[in-house]
Amino acid sequence: SYEVTQPLSVSVALGQTASIICGGNNIAIKNVHWYQQKPGLAPVLVIYRRTYRPAGIPERFSGSNSGNTATLTINGAQAGDEADYYCQVWDINTGAVFGGGTTLTVL
Amino acid sequence: QVQLQQSGPGLVRPSQTLSLTCAISGDSVSNTSVGWNWIRQSPSGGLEWLGRTTYGSKWYHNYAESVKSRLTINPDTSKNRFSLLLNSVVPEDTAVYFCARDVGGYYYFDSWGQGSLVAVSS
């Protein structure tokens, strides 16, 4: 079955750039999606199909894929961006596969 | 705008059946371009996809291997909703359960229910 891995935590200074990675075998060929989840709330889609932003998601959120790594980048991180972030792919054998989640701290 | 409203009990006894319902507004459970999913989040925090139903001339279902023998997802066209039935529950099934819509073909979840905390305990 396909697996994706994420670091447990990432810290970023206010206003700086945060990068959250998602590792998987040849993940570059997969559609990777990213979700933001704040405490007590349902996840919110922030990036889909590697690079697309849903309506209402700020432009400072962007995504990229290369080789065995997908990356969610947050330019000019704000205090309100503190949350857990999950990557997700679809595997034909396994179904939806989520990473373990990364907690973003804005210092 | 799609809205998903979940309902169901918050406490289930071990060995019993966990039942949740997700009512859909702003879309149809029979929409052939999307799928209707159940996802759960354990107290430790990780998201686990459980299964999906979608309509395309007939109803199709996909279930995660971890729950495949215990899970049924039922669409209800008369009430425009879908349900989760998880039988023979154990304390490890304690989690927040979410329903979610995926965009068919790309399988990303663009609409979510509010979440239902279900505890399995005697």
Side-chain angles (χ1 to χ4, degrees), chain B residues 50-108:
Chain B
L50 299 177
R52 175 183 194 260
T53 188
T54 188
Y55 185 72
S57 72
K58 68 174 186 177
W59 289 101
Y60 295 89
H61 307 277
N62 301 93
Y63 298 122
E65 280 298 323
S66 62
V67 294
K68 190 173 185 177
S69 62
R70 300 190 291 134
L71 177 64
T72 303
I73 297 178
N74 285 325
D76 182 345
T77 57
S78 66
K79 296 185 178 179
N80 201 33
R81 67 186 188 185
F82 63 107
S83 63
L84 171 149
L85 294 172
L86 184 66
N87 61 38
S88 304
V89 296
V90 295
E92 290 71 32
D93 292 315
T94 294
V96 176
Y97 287 76
F98 296 98
C99 59
R101 184 184 79 165
D102 78 72
V103 176
Y106 297 106
Y107 305 102
Y108 56 87

Side-chain angles (χ1 to χ4, degrees), chain A residues 31 33 35 37 41-43 45 48-49 86 88 90 94-96 98, chain B residues 39 41 45-49 52 64 98 106-110 112-113:
Chain A
N31 282 304
H33 320 299
Y35 304 86
Q37 186 180 31
L41 298 177
L45 181 70
Y48 64 99
R49 295 175 60 191
Y86 295 88
Q88 177 248 317
W90 182 269
T94 310
F98 289 94
Chain B
I39 296 161
Q41 187 166 34
L47 293 167
E48 179 187 13
W49 175 81
R52 175 183 194 260
F98 296 98
Y106 297 106
Y107 305 102
Y108 56 87
F109 305 107
D110 65 343
W112 294 69

Side-chain angles (χ1 to χ4, degrees), chain A residues 34 47 50-52 61-65 71-73:
Chain A
W34 291 92
I47 294 289
R50 303 175 189 149
T51 61
Y52 293 90
F61 288 85
S62 63
S64 63
N65 271 31
T71 304
L72 173 69
T73 301

